[in-house]
Amino acid sequence: MNEKKFPAGPVPYVPDTGTKVVKKPPVAPEDIVFDLSLNESPFGANPAVAAAAAARCQLPNIYPDPASDELRQAISRCYGLEPERLICGNGSEEVLDAIGRLYARPGDEILYSRHAFIQFPIMALRTGATPVMAPERDYTLDVEALLDRVTERTRIVCVANPNNPTGTWVDRDALVRLRDALPEHIVYVIDSAYAEFVDDESYDDGLGLVGERPNVIVTRTLSKAFGLAAFRIGWGYGPAAMIRALNPMRGIGNVNAIAQAAAVAALEDLDFVAMVARETAVRRDWLRAKLVPLGLQTLPGAANFLAVRFPTDPGVTAQDAIDHMARRGILTRSMDDYGMDDFVRITIGSEEANGAVADALEDLLAGRSNVGSG
Ligand SMILES: Cc1ncc(COP(=O)(O)O)c(C=O)c1O
């Protein structure tokens, strides 16, 4: 072999996603009092989950079911869906990633709205496809603007509803308009990770929109309202042909056995999830009512977090607020990698955590006049 013809070692293709997926202010782990940076649930999971997981831990030598059969049956019972149209993933992140790898190649375009969930550009950049952003209206997805950006290269259109990090959402009508206007060779992904939190008749988690269309897929997760983030369980529901094609794109034992057992137990108690959603809404309203009189603007988010806008005056900027809260052991999420430098994303936490946020921001902003609106 001609040594000179080849580089010294393997040359990786490292996509520059331009983002740090997890951004934490500099707080030593032992000083963290409340972590409100990752939209984790403060309610834990229903008690049957820990028991089911512990029981499965007794059989560490046995591989997980590679088809997640029992889990797909449980999802199918809960939501009235056909198991053969379901795929489970190591988090919905894996399902989204598999969709990208299945349908996008260099030169293709993946389309989403300006402040859409950061995994959409990551999914594009990993495959070498081009991420394309459409403008929004009031930090909310604009269907017509998205459709304007569709080209002959568009392969995937991604919608997170509600969206992270804005929390904003669009109604069923908007989702249907987009579905009906998109050509069927373009994959339409509806990421409904926060669906459980939305309590509005005009909202649709998208499952009913999949129907017989060949190109619509909905992704869901047990990381948020179900409180199973540690187990990494997500799922997708789409056309049978798409699910068949997606299956080889995921890891063979991608959802580990303990996670599968935990998820089945979690899906048996939807009352728990309803309680989480109800209580989250009460706490979200409480926090919003505390922040608005301080002159802070909050986006009309429907999920388990608030996107809060800060002034640009020195001393009270979003970064000042992040640092100020961090000094009290409260971690929140900067939104600068979304181009929303004046916003902070704050997870709705325990009552104590939310109170600590309100107190910290009241101290930071004390003395300033009431300049904003909700
Ligand atoms: C909109 C949205 N979709 C998907 C995910 C991924 O969730 P997971 O991989 O934990 O299922 C998240 C996580 O924060 C999210 O905010």
Side-chain angles (χ1 to χ4, degrees), residues 91-93 96 117 160 164 191 193-194 221 223-224 232:
S92 55
E93 183 192 341
L96 291 168
F117 181 41
N164 171 19
D191 171 350
Y194 298 93
T221 181
S223 299
K224 306 298 176 186
R232 312 294 300 122

Side-chain angles (χ1 to χ4, degrees), residues 10 37 46 125 145 157 159-160 169 171 185 273 316 351 366-367 374:
S37 68
N46 98 54
L125 293 163
V157 173
V159 170
W169 57 280
D171 63 12
H185 69 273
V273 178
V316 289
E351 285 176 337

Side-chain angles (χ1 to χ4, degrees), residues 46 53 108 112 122 147 205 240 262 287 314 332 360-361:
N46 98 54
D108 295 340
Y112 48 87
I122 291 175
L147 287 167
D205 61 11
L287 187 60
T332 54
L361 295 181

Side-chain angles (χ1 to χ4, degrees), residues 35-372:
D35 188 342
L36 304 177
S37 68
L38 290 169
N39 299 341
E40 292 157 339
S41 171
F43 300 94
N46 98 54
V49 167
R56 188 57 182 85
C57 280
Q58 301 306 308
L59 296 170
N61 51 321
I62 307 299
Y63 276 118
D65 171 7
S68 295
D69 265 339
E70 213 192 318
L71 175 53
R72 286 186 301 117
Q73 294 289 347
I75 296 168
S76 137
R77 278 195 302 278
C78 272
Y79 299 93
L81 306 171
E82 306 90 314
E84 61 281 3
R85 296 178 65 174
L86 288 167
I87 181 170
C88 295
N90 185 36
S92 55
E93 183 192 341
E94 188 194 16
V95 181
L96 291 168
D97 189 65
I99 295 169
R101 285 183 289 111
L102 183 60
Y103 292 105
R105 289 291 174 275
D108 295 340
E109 293 175 355
I110 297 184
L111 175 63
Y112 48 87
S113 66
R114 173 67 188 87
H115 303 105
F117 181 41
I118 213 134
Q119 205 193 332
F120 303 155
I122 291 175
M123 144 188 191
L125 293 163
R126 274 183 187 157
T127 58
T130 306
V132 178
M133 290 190 286
E136 294 174 345
R137 190 172 303 177
D138 298 330
Y139 296 99
T140 307
L141 180 138
D142 177 344
V143 169
E144 282 64 38
L146 263 183
L147 287 167
D148 272 353
R149 296 295 186 287
V150 172
T151 73
E152 75 276 5
R153 295 181 177 191
T154 310
R155 292 288 170 275
I156 306 175
V157 173
C158 298
V159 170
N161 199 42
N163 181 49
N164 171 19
T166 57
T168 55
W169 57 280
V170 294
D171 63 12
R172 176 170 206 281
D173 250 30
L175 292 182
V176 170
R177 263 197 338 272
L178 184 52
R179 180 191 70 181
D180 293 347
L182 278 180
E184 290 193 340
H185 69 273
I186 297 178
V187 179
Y188 177 18
V189 180
I190 303 174
D191 171 350
S192 301
Y194 298 93
E196 292 82 2
F197 294 106
V198 193
D199 178 22
D200 192 298
E201 272 180 17
S202 68
Y203 176 76
D204 197 304
D205 61 11
L207 293 172
L209 269 72
V210 178
E212 297 312 312
R213 304 280 170 143
N215 60 325
V216 184
I217 180 160
V218 172
T219 58
R220 300 286 292 261
T221 181
L222 274 72
S223 299
K224 306 298 176 186
F226 284 86
L228 267 60
F231 289 112
R232 312 294 300 122
I233 303 143
W235 53 276
Y237 173 68
M242 189 186 283
I243 298 299
R244 272 197 304 277
L246 272 172
N247 264 317
M249 305 302 284
R250 61 170 175 81
I252 292 170
N254 60 335
V255 184
N256 74 67
I258 301 156
Q260 290 188 35
V264 170
L267 287 161
E268 271 161 22
D269 190 357
L270 295 185
D271 287 349
F272 176 85
V273 178
M275 177 281 291
V276 169
R278 259 193 328 270
E279 189 57 31
T280 300
V282 170
R283 295 181 190 185
R284 194 178 56 224
D285 291 348
W286 181 89
L287 187 60
R288 191 178 266 137
K290 287 283 183 188
L291 301 188
V292 170
L294 300 176
L296 300 173
Q297 187 195 359
T298 60
L299 294 184
N304 66 340
F305 57 88
L306 280 177
V308 184
R309 186 173 216 161
F310 285 79
T312 48
D313 315 353
V316 289
T317 64
Q319 192 55 52
D320 293 324
I322 289 169
D323 294 340
H324 181 72
M325 289 189 277
R327 282 191 290 275
R328 297 183 178 200
I330 306 168
L331 298 195
T332 54
R333 170 70 155 85
S334 159
M335 289 165 65
D336 59 358
D337 51 352
Y338 283 89
M340 294 174 74
D341 301 32
D342 46 347
F343 281 84
V344 179
R345 192 191 70 191
I346 305 175
T347 303
I348 305 301
S350 63
E351 285 176 337
E352 207 190 344
N354 302 335
V357 168
D359 289 349
L361 295 181
E362 215 169 284
D363 286 354
L364 181 75
L365 293 151
R368 286 180 54 87
S369 58
N370 184 357
V371 292

